[in-house]
Amino acid sequence: MKQKIPFLNLRVENTKKRKEISTAINKVLVHGRLINGPEVQELERRISIRCGKRYAIGVNSGTDALFLALKSLHIGAGDEVITTSLSWVATANAIALTGAKIIFADIRDDLNINPVSIEKLITRRTKAILPVHYTGKICDMSALLKIAGKYGLFIIEDASQAFDALYHGRKAGSFGILGCFSLNPMKVFAACGEAGIIVTDRKDIYERLMALRYNGTVNKELCIEPSLNGRLDTLQAAILLKRLSEVNRIIDTRRRIAKRYNYLLKDLVRVPEEKEGERNTYYTYTIQSAKRDALKSFLWSCGVETKIQHPYLMPQQPAFRHISKGNFPNAKQIVKKILCIPCNEKMTIRDVDYVAHCIRRFFNGGL
Ligand SMILES: *Cc1c(COP(=O)(O)O)cnc(C)c1O
């Protein structure tokens, strides 16, 4: 059934925008440098400036960004990495694939990692904390930086959902030794295919990442360490460069929608909060309700597509159940209540009001 309000529509319906993308693609086809073309370097340059970091390294997915970031710090077997229990499985996969042990921490009611739960999980094997800025809201970075400083741990940010989000004047991805982004088509700043990027201030790490993203080679010949081929396509970089100029407008629109939802829904469900000094980007607008499943079916019957991101905590996944270490009682409760309702730049105010109206009807007995 085609829903009246889809969760996300990835078609490029605007003719002008489609033309701009075609023009960008055409340029690449003409110069022919399909890998490592000038658009890749230009994108890296602009992202590094935008994040306030010295270097950016384009890669072919957010998953690769995380995996290569961990590898660049020589994290592997025998090490432990503490991360949140609620994220897309890519976060846990990246850690697992390095051979390091994943330690799952609990979350706060705002869905981000709870710094208080981290300290109890630190051992002498702990090397890094990998916080995820979930839904486009930056974690409590002042608390996390304090803990990392106290125990000498690296912070690697999974900022996949939070490109351009702010926390007291600082950008997502700029707090840790490394910041990782996915730029896949679902993200707020999105390619027309798989893409990702890593940012850092450290020259040595940057140089290591340049080798690690291409089979661990230097000068394209000598292999210094086994790795994968994780380079970013020039075509995707060209599209991303084009779309970079639209990011601010997209985020502003999402923020306006979120504000309106907050106003219309705050007495019915738990709505996302924005604290002083935060600029959340609303990769998802996630509400919490004890009646989540019934609400989801009701909204579907109204023509509103919603998503549960995610129905399973990472430590509850079959892939991680047997090795799961950690303590996450709050996450176990919250995962039953979360629901993402449509919140994107293609929606009109009428769409937003319709979704809110349907939620109101549900709580008022379907009237
Ligand atoms: C999207 C996402 C990823 C993975 O990115 P891909 O580009 O799909 O590999 C990792 N972590 C989080 C939090 C994400 O939302």
Side-chain angles (χ1 to χ4, degrees):
M1 176 167 61
K2 184 162 184 326
Q3 293 291 290
K4 240 188 318 222
I5 317 261
F7 184 71
L8 195 61
N9 167 14
L10 296 182
R11 281 185 295 271
V12 183
E13 279 156 350
N14 181 301
T15 322
K16 184 167 164 265
K17 279 195 182 144
R18 217 166 41 233
K19 241 193 199 134
E20 286 171 348
I21 290 177
S22 304
T23 307
I25 291 173
N26 256 314
K27 265 193 198 156
V28 176
L29 296 180
V30 169
H31 71 56
R33 294 181 58 192
L34 300 181
I35 302 285
N36 275 348
E39 287 82 358
V40 174
Q41 280 114 57
E42 178 60 11
L43 180 75
E44 290 172 340
R45 193 183 68 82
R46 299 208 8 213
I47 300 289
S48 66
I49 293 168
R50 201 164 173 124
C51 290
K53 298 301 258 187
R54 305 248 301 263
Y55 306 99
I57 303 98
V59 291
N60 69 10
S61 71
T63 310
D64 277 3
L66 290 165
F67 172 70
L68 296 173
L70 290 158
K71 265 184 81 85
S72 76
L73 298 172
H74 301 275
I75 288 171
D79 299 329
E80 293 178 0
V81 177
I82 299 175
T83 192
T84 178
S85 38
L86 179 63
S87 180
W88 170 233
V89 286
T91 311
N93 280 334
I95 301 170
L97 289 172
T98 67
K101 192 185 236 173
I102 315 168
I103 310 292
F104 293 102
D106 208 356
I107 58 172
R108 284 181 175 168
D109 290 348
D110 70 0
L111 311 181
N112 274 337
I113 196 164
N114 185 345
V116 175
S117 79
I118 290 178
E119 235 172 322
K120 298 173 209 146
L121 302 172
I122 294 171
T123 69
R124 59 186 176 79
R125 291 174 179 269
T126 310
K127 281 279 157 35
I129 303 171
L130 203 164
V132 179
H133 306 313
Y134 208 59
T135 73
K137 180 191 177 79
I138 297 182
C139 296
D140 182 348
M141 289 314 299
S142 51
L144 293 179
L145 288 168
K146 220 176 268 169
I147 295 169
K150 183 170 162 190
Y151 295 94
L153 307 175
F154 296 120
I155 288 187
I156 301 158
E157 295 170 71
D158 183 346
S160 294
Q161 304 190 356
F163 184 82
D164 248 13
L166 281 171
Y167 176 92
H168 299 287
R170 283 178 71 177
K171 286 274 170 80
S174 72
F175 298 89
I177 188 162
L178 290 141
C180 301
F181 297 89
S182 164
L183 307 173
N184 83 25
M186 279 164 53
K187 304 304 198 240
V188 174
F189 174 39
C192 291
E194 308 286 5
I197 203 156
I198 310 170
V199 293
T200 184
D201 272 337
R202 287 263 301 263
K203 185 158 191 273
D204 57 331
I205 292 176
Y206 165 73
E207 282 166 357
R208 218 174 119 67
L209 280 169
M210 291 300 269
L212 287 172
R213 81 167 170 186
Y214 191 45
N215 280 292
T217 55
V218 286
N219 305 329
K220 301 214 167 79
E221 287 298 340
L222 219 54
C223 178
I224 51 164
E225 186 175 337
S227 191
L228 41 74
N229 178 4
R231 292 184 299 182
L232 173 66
D233 281 4
T234 311
L235 283 174
Q236 295 305 338
I239 294 167
L240 286 162
L241 270 174
K242 168 72 221 27
R243 286 187 165 173
L244 194 55
S245 59
E246 294 163 19
V247 170
N248 268 330
R249 193 189 49 77
I250 291 173
I251 292 173
D252 284 346
T253 308
R254 288 184 179 224
R255 289 172 55 75
R256 256 199 314 278
I257 294 172
K259 208 167 170 187
R260 190 163 182 92
Y261 272 147
N262 276 10
Y263 170 72
L264 295 167
L265 301 175
K266 64 179 184 299
D267 58 326
L268 302 171
V269 294
R270 192 192 158 102
V271 297
E273 285 173 19
E274 205 166 280
K275 295 220 181 90
E276 184 75 26
E278 291 179 354
R279 182 182 187 253
N280 305 343
T281 58
Y282 299 96
Y283 167 68
T284 59
Y285 181 92
T286 304
I287 58 173
Q288 294 176 45
S289 167
K291 296 185 176 160
R292 191 261 314 269
D293 293 332
L295 175 60
K296 189 179 194 333
S297 326
F298 180 78
L299 288 174
W300 180 258
S301 72
C302 298
V304 176
E305 186 189 11
T306 60
K307 288 207 189 297
I308 299 169
Q309 283 179 357
H310 293 280
Y312 301 100
L313 298 175
M314 295 189 294
Q316 294 172 335
Q317 293 283 359
F320 298 114
R321 258 191 322 240
H322 60 292
I323 55 150
S324 285
K325 282 265 164 61
N327 191 24
F328 33 86
N330 199 39
K332 283 181 190 157
Q333 291 311 309
I334 284 182
V335 74
K336 299 177 202 158
K337 295 193 253 178
I338 48 175
L339 185 67
C340 310
I341 63 176
C343 177
N344 61 72
E345 54 288 355
K346 288 188 179 152
M347 293 173 80
T348 63
I349 288 297
R350 277 188 60 165
D351 294 338
V352 175
D353 287 354
Y354 177 71
V355 174
H357 166 77
C358 293
I359 294 174
R360 192 155 282 283
R361 260 177 59 202
F362 172 79
F363 284 101
N364 293 335
L367 293 171

